[in-house]
Amino acid sequence: ERKDVLSGLFFMLTIGAYVRYVRHPASLVRYGTVILLFALGLLSKNMLVTLPFVLLLLDYWPLNRVTDFTPRTLLRLVVEKWPLFALALASCVITFLVPEEVPVGDRLSLALRMENAVVSYVIYLRQMVDPSGLAALYPNPVEHLPFGQVAGALGLLLAISGGIFAFRRRYPYLAVGWLWYLGMMVPVIGVVQISYYAHADRYTYLPQIGLSLMLTWLAADLIAGLRYRRVALGALSAVVLSALIYSAHMQVSYWQNNESLWTHTLECTTNNYVAHNNLGNTLEGRGQTDAAFAQYRKALELKPDYAKAHNNLGLLLESLGQIDEAIAHYQRALEVNPAFAEAYNNLGNALAGIGQFDVAIAHYRKALEIKPDSAVAYNNLGIALARIGQADTAVAYFQKALDIKPDYAEAHNNRGIALKSRGQIDPAIADFQRAIEIKPDYVEARYNLGLTLNRQGKIADAVIQWREAVRLQPDNIILLNQLARALATSSAGSVRNGVEAIDLAQRAVQLSGGQEPAILDTLAAAYAETGRFSDAVETVERAVSQAYARGNTALADAIRPRIRLYRSGSPYREAQTSTLRMN
């Protein structure tokens, strides 16, 4: 939007400077101003490459510099503008040399691009006089357009062009305005594909000036003889302005949120696979997984090789635990678009989730080859390397993620975990604290900071972190158990609170269904802390029984001695330790 505003400003300034130059053609300063303004306009948006041709049209009318259409006259006007044409050519070459951004699956054949261009010219005409049914985007057609639609659009364009040619001498501004419109649309009409849009409303902000010029001067000529033309024009302007205000008001209402925007887009377009995908993404973010799933499926039904929909559906399936199906969709997305860095990253996450770290690492590295500034991929690569014991290398990759995105809380947390595994406790604590500063509701960073402080013997400070984590996530079983265990078994009397520990442990038992032996062990310790030793014995015996039933003899053997301890009327004390967890 900022580029559109700047390019429009420089467009008008360049035309104004050119008109001043024409009045004083010997002024090198004024001609230099034209060149400078045009260059700045190209820097803001290269759509202005057609401006030298617009200046040629203005030479014809209203500047009346074309007295005849001899080659000599035309050549003189073109040569006069050679610096502008040189700049325009340079802009075109630079644009051509930039790697193509249109994914393989979205590229259209030349025939389909020509069909779409002809139809788009007419669509823009209709939208100018009837700005209703506008959508956020109009994706490229997935198959050839109906012959009647293309033929009708081509016929209309030829008819308008023929009529304007017939009246070119009487109404020269018609030819100027029409060629202005047709010519300025060339860079964005789609013959040279620049995106997955069939057309876009924003492309017309400069070309439609030509159409407005036509209508304005034609209206002035047609009513020149009317007696009350000022009143008539004033009334007509009021009606048109009111209609446009109402249309703008209605259009803005559709942009209240993503759901209303994409729902409206689907209402006024057909086969809009992009809108289905985007609506699915919005619904998924709101927790409406079934509705999101249906939207992704509809997008793929309309365009089976739509890489973004495959990637998004993969993310949804992965969140639902359907890893194999998710992996299949990530792989399909990469078949369609081998340069899809996000899909490589997501595929790496899915493979890491099932323990295939070596393969995941290869996918993260591929994502970084395509997108070297991806802090997320560096972070994920660091996690995978840490999981296979390469903590030193992992720290380096977490640092790269933070070099790109210094306020990346997850990377600070994960680097803290890796640093702690290397025995660098103080730097680890600093990373956890920084993660919390960036993201105060970051529960895992608070959990990890608490564990690290506890290892340093700062149990009171650790409990502060765990209390806040439980406040943020009151139904998190791991947090409930950790805090309850600290309050029940800490060797620091100032920290222990058996009553609170019982409450926390009972909630953890309830949430876990009473089937987790480690949580039952915590509840037993909390009972013992308050002197309820019979309840403690009964609970710890259940914990041992369930541990053996699960085949976890190591845990059962660790818990079993506490039966004798509680029967003797003694509470259990321990130093709180646990395993740090990564995102």
Side-chain angles (χ1 to χ4, degrees), residues 363-419:
H363 286 298
Y364 293 140
R365 293 190 187 280
K366 184 64 177 179
L368 288 168
E369 287 179 16
I370 299 168
K371 193 174 181 180
D373 61 345
S374 175
V376 172
Y378 276 120
N379 178 64
N380 291 338
L381 177 56
I383 293 172
L385 289 167
R387 293 283 173 82
I388 62 175
Q390 299 184 28
D392 292 346
T393 309
V395 168
Y397 282 111
F398 292 136
Q399 183 59 55
K400 287 185 177 182
L402 291 169
D403 289 340
I404 296 169
K405 187 179 178 182
D407 59 348
Y408 194 175
E410 288 76 8
H412 277 291
N413 176 66
N414 293 331
R415 187 173 67 172
I417 295 171
L419 288 170

Side-chain angles (χ1 to χ4, degrees), residues 176-196:
V176 170
W178 184 241
L179 292 175
W180 181 322
Y181 168 67
L182 295 179
M184 288 211 74
M185 288 301 308
V186 168
V188 292
I189 201 61
V191 175
V192 177
Q193 190 174 355
I194 58 175
S195 70
Y196 56 85

Side-chain angles (χ1 to χ4, degrees), residues 118-406:
V118 170
V119 172
S120 294
Y121 267 120
V122 175
I123 290 175
Y124 290 134
L125 291 177
R126 194 276 299 171
Q127 289 178 338
M128 181 177 179
V129 297
D130 179 22
S132 61
L134 304 182
L137 59 84
Y138 313 86
N140 280 322
V142 296
E143 56 187 17
H144 284 283
L145 299 173
F147 175 78
Q149 184 181 15
V150 177
L154 181 59
L156 178 61
L157 293 176
L158 291 175
I160 295 174
S161 300
I164 288 174
F165 180 79
F167 289 97
R168 68 188 184 282
R169 297 188 184 279
R170 184 174 180 182
Y171 305 116
Y173 48 80
L174 293 180
V176 170
W178 184 241
L179 292 175
W180 181 322
Y181 168 67
L182 295 179
M184 288 211 74
M185 288 301 308
V186 168
V188 292
I189 201 61
V191 175
V192 177
Q193 190 174 355
I194 58 175
S195 70
Y196 56 85
Y197 298 143
H199 55 279
D201 304 332
R202 66 179 183 277
Y203 291 162
T204 62
Y205 69 112
L206 293 178
Q208 284 185 348
I209 294 176
L211 299 177
S212 299
L213 182 151
M214 292 172 57
L215 295 175
T216 301
W217 263 264
L218 181 61
D221 277 354
L222 292 179
I223 67 168
L226 291 180
R227 184 176 179 181
Y228 299 105
R229 59 180 179 275
R230 291 182 180 273
V231 175
L233 282 177
L236 180 60
S237 298
V239 171
V240 171
L241 185 60
S242 298
L244 292 176
I245 290 173
Y246 175 77
S247 178
H249 171 74
M250 292 299 298
Q251 194 64 30
V252 169
S253 68
Y254 302 128
W255 291 75
Q256 293 179 7
N257 54 65
N258 286 339
E259 184 173 356
S260 64
L261 175 65
W262 298 120
T263 300
H264 171 71
T265 298
L266 291 171
E267 290 173 352
C268 54
T269 59
T270 57
N271 299 329
N272 197 326
Y273 54 91
V274 178
H276 281 293
N277 174 72
N278 292 349
L279 179 57
N281 196 19
T282 299
L283 294 171
E284 183 181 354
R286 295 184 175 182
Q288 301 178 37
T289 54
D290 291 342
F293 188 87
Q295 292 298 326
Y296 293 144
R297 285 295 187 191
K298 182 62 177 178
L300 291 173
E301 178 184 324
L302 294 170
K303 188 174 175 61
D305 59 351
Y306 188 24
K308 288 184 178 180
H310 279 293
N311 180 66
N312 287 340
L313 183 55
L315 285 170
L316 178 57
L317 290 167
E318 186 178 354
S319 71
L320 297 174
Q322 301 178 38
I323 305 300
D324 291 340
E325 293 87 342
I327 289 174
H329 280 286
Y330 295 143
Q331 291 172 334
R332 177 57 181 147
L334 291 170
E335 289 174 7
V336 175
N337 181 11
F340 198 169
E342 289 78 5
Y344 276 111
N345 178 75
N346 294 336
L347 179 56
N349 288 343
L351 293 168
I354 57 176
Q356 298 184 26
F357 293 109
D358 290 338
V359 185
I361 287 170
H363 286 298
Y364 293 140
R365 293 190 187 280
K366 184 64 177 179
L368 288 168
E369 287 179 16
I370 299 168
K371 193 174 181 180
D373 61 345
S374 175
V376 172
Y378 276 120
N379 178 64
N380 291 338
L381 177 56
I383 293 172
L385 289 167
R387 293 283 173 82
I388 62 175
Q390 299 184 28
D392 292 346
T393 309
V395 168
Y397 282 111
F398 292 136
Q399 183 59 55
K400 287 185 177 182
L402 291 169
D403 289 340
I404 296 169
K405 187 179 178 182

Side-chain angles (χ1 to χ4, degrees), residues 35-188:
I35 297 172
L36 176 61
L37 290 171
F38 178 56
L40 293 173
L42 285 176
L43 289 174
S44 62
K45 199 166 187 179
N46 60 5
M47 184 177 174
L48 266 64
V49 293
T50 54
L51 180 53
F53 298 95
V54 171
L55 298 182
L56 286 174
L57 292 173
L58 296 179
D59 285 336
Y60 171 63
W61 182 92
L63 298 177
N64 298 319
R65 301 180 73 198
V66 182
T67 55
D68 55 61
F69 284 92
T70 61
R72 182 176 180 180
T73 300
L74 296 177
L75 180 62
R76 174 178 58 81
L77 294 174
V78 170
V79 170
E80 175 191 57
K81 300 173 182 60
W82 74 264
L84 305 181
F85 282 108
L87 287 172
L89 178 62
S91 178
C92 291
V93 171
I94 292 172
T95 302
F96 178 78
L97 293 176
V98 172
E100 191 170 5
E101 296 182 357
V102 181
V104 175
D106 291 325
R107 296 174 190 171
L108 304 181
S109 66
L110 177 60
L112 187 50
R113 278 180 274 150
M114 295 297 292
E115 292 175 8
N116 180 69
V118 170
V119 172
S120 294
Y121 267 120
V122 175
I123 290 175
Y124 290 134
L125 291 177
R126 194 276 299 171
Q127 289 178 338
M128 181 177 179
V129 297
D130 179 22
S132 61
L134 304 182
L137 59 84
Y138 313 86
N140 280 322
V142 296
E143 56 187 17
H144 284 283
L145 299 173
F147 175 78
Q149 184 181 15
V150 177
L154 181 59
L156 178 61
L157 293 176
L158 291 175
I160 295 174
S161 300
I164 288 174
F165 180 79
F167 289 97
R168 68 188 184 282
R169 297 188 184 279
R170 184 174 180 182
Y171 305 116
Y173 48 80
L174 293 180
V176 170
W178 184 241
L179 292 175
W180 181 322
Y181 168 67
L182 295 179
M184 288 211 74
M185 288 301 308
V186 168
V188 292

